[in-house]
């Protein structure tokens, strides 16, 4: 009797641990997102969203964006700090900024600047293009526009002009050589800047980006350079412009202890700058607020051992203590939290195209009398498999399989016999692996057997385009089927993408409360579209994606609720073949012209007819204008 339940699925995929109250599994066995519809919270099936897109003629894969989740993350971040300020009687404010680099998509910036107005929530720009985008969308005179990164004259002039227009644009010194240029441009334009200084902390960080902090971090001034900058500001008459102190400890900081240690060092420097005579008002504590990708609430690289409430309370406590000791006013606190704001916002959904099976629970056909004796010897092992002789049976199966392969290389047996032997071998391995569950001690050879029985599920997406951190830094993303979750997933799989590259795969998954080398999935049924989703992909993945195999951006749609009905807005067609070819300097018109010339030569040679040329050219044009991913129509 099947005792599998939806609660079993929740436990297996950990959705209630990493879903943060935004994702769950509904009673129909489908992954669901919880969206607000007015004052109500409504569970919406991801499979039904995909069905709706399919009915509208949109192909897979799909990147789903949930503006409501973005709003709620901004709300949660700001309200956590405001609650901690109230509870501790902190006498300063909190005004966060969103670092554009985390996800520069226009929809993200528009929504953040729109919804964030109620909190005077600002932006952080680290390059000239980001500054230009920010100035077009953020017009709140009470919000901060913090300018990091290396700045040329155009960057400085644009920031100063925006200050002149009434925005709070703060130029942060990343390197010593920037300050003379800022002073010169300020004097030339007659516009006094608001300045900040980024400091290179000595406190060590943790996680993937530990090198972002510490003495060897790339950006920021050390203590000697900091004092030199203060002296230069004094000499130039600009010390009154220095109002912000900034440090950046790193991204995805898993341990609250390291965060407290860095904040302690930073606030001590802040206090000393105030004692030097600078009117310090703002303490920018940078990014680092982590996302609990694996749901373990630990100090693992893909998790964090603190909540957003704890994060806010700890930072405020450290700053308050040291400022009170120095008898300084409490500064306005700024964090540049990007990952924690946008990660939940996007979900990538893709379909499974095909499967390569290694596990063979079903017994194959027995060999015919004409088959080589080595094939028969392999077949006979199946009747000898018992818990007390598994190692012997595995050794024999491996020996006879290798003998068959050697016979094939020497032309003694044909391909059909070899194929049958391979099927028998994998069936034996499957039977032996099942029997190991009954053993108290599993021999070393058999411990690795299960990993060799993991299937390949070929997924209609590109890891390099849509999940680059999974490949580059082994970032763990929650991945699970979005339907059939009311039935037990009996297959174990690695997800291989369609790039024909051995690195184009995902082979690390959340499995209950541990990390697994396989994803438990359902058997793909004939004619079924089996859909899987990668969650928490809103941070960096769209920005870092490349054009490996010339696979471009997938289709994108924003999904919401209005009066109980699903709404599909901000639909963006994924890249066409012509689009991605133009990105790498091909001219689609020139390609068509060259191919047409080639087809005409084929007509003159008599290889194809004129009417065939028409069909061939139509197919070529259709391909140029088509989706870069696999299309089933």
């Amino acid at each position: 009797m099947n005792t599998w339940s939806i609660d079993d699925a929740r436990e297996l995929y950990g959705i209630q641990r990493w879903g943060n109250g935004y994702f769950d599994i509904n009673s129909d066995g489908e992954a669901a997102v919880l969206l607000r519809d007015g004052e109500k919270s409504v569970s919406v099936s991801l499979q039904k969203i995909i069905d709706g897109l399919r009915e509208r003629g949109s192909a897979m894969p799909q990147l789903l964006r949930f503006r409501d989740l973005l709003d709620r993350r901004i709300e949660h971040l700001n309200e956590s700090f405001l609650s901690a300020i109230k509870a501790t009687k902190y006498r300063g404010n909190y005004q966060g900024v969103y670092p554009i680099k985390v996800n520069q998509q226009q929809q993200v910036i528009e929504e953040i600047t729109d919804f964030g107005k109620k909190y005077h929530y600002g932006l952080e720009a680290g390059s000239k293009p980001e500054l230009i985008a920010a100035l077009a969308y953020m017009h709140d005179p009470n919000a901060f526009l913090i300018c990091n990164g290396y700045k040329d004259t155009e960057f400085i002039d644009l920031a100063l002009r925006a200050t002149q227009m009434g925005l709070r644009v703060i130029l942060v010194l990343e390197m010593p050589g920037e300050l003379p240029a800022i002073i010169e441009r300020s004097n030339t334009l007659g516009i006094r800047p608001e300045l900040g200084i980024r400091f290179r902390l000595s406190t060590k960080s943790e996680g993937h980006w530990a090198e972002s902090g510490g003495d060897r971090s790339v950006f920021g001034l050390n203590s000697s350079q900091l004092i030199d900058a203060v002296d230069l500001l004094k000499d130039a008459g600009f010390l009154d412009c220095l109002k912000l102190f900034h440090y950046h400890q790193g991204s995805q900081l898993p341990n609250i202890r390291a965060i407290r240690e860095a904040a302690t060092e930073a606030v001590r420097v802040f206090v000393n700058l105030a004692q030097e005579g600078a009117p310090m008002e703002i303490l920018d504590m940078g990014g680092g607020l982590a996302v609990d990708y694996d749901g373990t609430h630990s100090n693992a690289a893909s998790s964090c051992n603190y909540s957003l409430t704890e994060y806010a309370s700890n930072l405020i406590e450290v700053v308050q203590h040291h400022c009170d000791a120095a008898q300084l006013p409490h500064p306005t606190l700024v964090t540049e939290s990007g990952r924690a704001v946008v990660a939940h916002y996007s979900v990538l959904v893709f379909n499974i195209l095909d499967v390569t099976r290694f596990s063979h629970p079903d017994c194959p056909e027995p060999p015919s009398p004409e088959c080589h004796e080595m094939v028969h010897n392999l077949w006979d092992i199946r009747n000898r498999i018992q818990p007390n002789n598994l190692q012997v049976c595995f050794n024999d199966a491996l020996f006879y399989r290798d003998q068959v392969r050697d016979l094939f290389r020497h032309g003694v047996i044909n391909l059909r016999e070899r194929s049958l032997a391979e099927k028998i071998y994998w069936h034996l391995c499957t039977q032996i692996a099942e029997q190991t569950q009954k053993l108290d001690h599993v021999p070393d050879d058999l411990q690795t057997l299960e990993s060799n029985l993991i299937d390949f599920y070929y997924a209609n997406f590109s890891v390099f385009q849509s999940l680059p951190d999974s490949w580059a830094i082994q970032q763990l993303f929650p991945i699970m089927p979005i339907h059939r979750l009311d039935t037990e997933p009996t297959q174990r799989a690695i997800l291989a993408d369609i790039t024909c590259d051995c690195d184009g795969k995902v082979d690390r998954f959340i499995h209950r409360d541990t990390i697994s080398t396989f994803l438990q999935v359902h058997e793909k049924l004939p004619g079924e579209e089996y859909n899987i989703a990668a969650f928490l992909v809103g941070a960096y993945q769209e920005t870092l994606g490349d054009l490996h195999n010339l696979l471009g951006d997938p289709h994108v749609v924003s999904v919401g609720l209005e009066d109980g009905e699903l709404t599909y807005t901000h639909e963006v067609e994924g890249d066409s073949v012509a689009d991605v070819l133009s990105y790498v300097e091909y001219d689609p018109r020139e390609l068509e012209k060259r191919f047409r010339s080639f087809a005409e030569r084929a007509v003159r040679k008599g290889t194809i007819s004129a009417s065939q040329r028409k069909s061939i050219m139509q197919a070529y044009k259709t391909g140029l204008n088509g989706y870069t991913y696999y299309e089933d129509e």
Side-chain angles (χ1 to χ4, degrees), residues 18 176-177 256 341 348 370 403 406 425 451 506 542 549 583 607:
W18 52 257
I256 192 65
V341 169
L348 177 71
E370 294 77 21
Q403 287 292 303
D406 193 51
Y425 170 77
S451 64
V506 182
E542 291 182 75
N549 278 111
Y583 298 157
T607 307

Side-chain angles (χ1 to χ4, degrees), residues 504-566:
K505 64 183 179 182
V506 182
D507 57 6
R508 296 176 71 250
F509 304 93
I510 297 167
H511 184 93
R512 304 189 192 281
D513 58 354
T514 61
I515 308 304
S516 173
T517 57
F518 61 84
L519 178 68
Q520 283 193 228
V521 293
H522 304 87
E523 186 169 0
K524 187 178 184 304
L525 303 176
E528 174 201 47
E529 180 174 270
Y530 188 60
N531 294 321
I532 291 176
F535 294 80
L536 311 188
V537 299
Y540 292 105
Q541 303 318 292
E542 291 182 75
T543 296
L544 297 177
D546 67 8
L547 290 176
H548 189 275
N549 278 111
L550 296 182
L551 290 167
D553 290 334
H555 296 318
V556 178
V557 61
S558 289
V559 181
L561 280 174
E562 189 172 319
D563 297 328
E565 297 294 326
L566 269 177

Side-chain angles (χ1 to χ4, degrees), residues 234-460:
K234 287 179 178 179
D235 293 342
F238 275 74
L239 187 61
D240 63 306
C241 298
L242 180 58
K243 300 177 181 178
L244 177 144
F245 176 78
H246 171 47
Y247 71 93
H248 181 66
Q249 193 177 357
S251 182
Q252 183 64 21
L253 300 172
N255 196 336
I256 192 65
R257 178 180 55 82
I259 293 171
R260 284 186 64 98
E261 289 176 358
T264 299
E265 180 184 359
V267 74
R268 292 296 306 140
V269 180
F270 177 88
V271 166
N272 275 261
L273 286 174
Q275 292 169 344
E276 286 284 335
M280 303 303 294
E281 301 174 5
I282 308 161
L283 178 54
D284 183 349
M285 311 179 94
L289 177 57
V291 171
D292 194 1
Y293 287 97
D294 61 23
T296 60
H297 201 63
S298 68
N299 60 355
S302 293
S303 186
C304 55
N305 63 4
Y306 55 90
S307 67
L308 184 45
T309 299
E310 292 174 90
Y311 176 78
S313 298
N314 274 264
L315 290 182
I316 287 173
E317 179 187 332
V318 170
V319 176
Q320 185 175 30
H321 171 75
H322 288 282
C323 286
D324 285 347
Q327 296 183 332
L328 284 178
H330 296 166
T332 295
L333 297 183
V334 172
T335 63
E336 299 179 2
S337 302
R339 182 187 300 273
V341 169
V342 297
H344 302 81
Y345 165 66
S346 299
V347 176
L348 177 71
V349 183
F350 48 87
N351 54 321
I352 299 301
L353 301 174
D354 213 338
V355 177
T356 292
R357 294 285 300 275
F358 290 93
S359 59
H360 283 271
D362 298 330
C363 186
E365 292 294 320
S368 66
E370 294 77 21
C371 281
H372 196 279
E373 65 174 320
M374 290 297 172
V375 182
H376 283 278
N377 291 343
L378 195 61
W379 172 260
D380 291 341
I381 295 172
R382 66 189 182 84
N383 295 318
R384 296 193 278 113
I385 296 175
Q386 297 292 332
N388 63 353
N389 70 347
L390 297 182
Q391 182 71 65
V392 173
C393 290
F394 178 68
N395 292 341
D396 289 347
L398 198 59
F399 173 78
Y400 291 128
R401 185 206 64 177
D402 290 346
Q403 287 292 303
V404 168
R405 289 179 174 180
D406 193 51
L407 290 168
F408 176 76
R409 281 192 291 268
H410 289 87
V412 177
I413 67 172
N414 60 31
L415 183 60
R416 189 170 293 276
E417 286 181 279
R418 175 178 170 173
S419 171
L420 176 59
E422 298 280 354
K423 288 181 180 178
I424 296 171
Y425 170 77
W426 286 114
H427 174 66
L428 295 174
C429 288
T430 303
Q431 299 301 107
I432 292 169
E434 289 179 0
Q435 291 292 328
T436 61
Q437 307 300 319
K438 303 175 183 179
L439 301 181
D440 293 330
H441 172 71
V442 180
D444 290 346
D445 285 349
L446 303 187
Q447 287 179 5
T448 60
L449 185 57
E450 282 198 353
S451 64
N452 294 327
L453 295 172
I454 297 172
D455 299 336
F456 288 144
Y457 270 48
Y458 296 95
N460 190 15

Side-chain angles (χ1 to χ4, degrees), residues 595-596 598-618:
F595 186 75
R596 183 183 293 108
F598 171 63
E600 182 57 29
R601 289 198 301 272
V603 172
R604 291 200 302 269
K605 290 178 181 178
T607 307
I608 60 174
S609 67
S611 61
Q612 287 173 328
R613 195 201 90 155
K614 177 182 177 182
S615 298
I616 291 169
M617 285 306 303
Q618 183 58 48

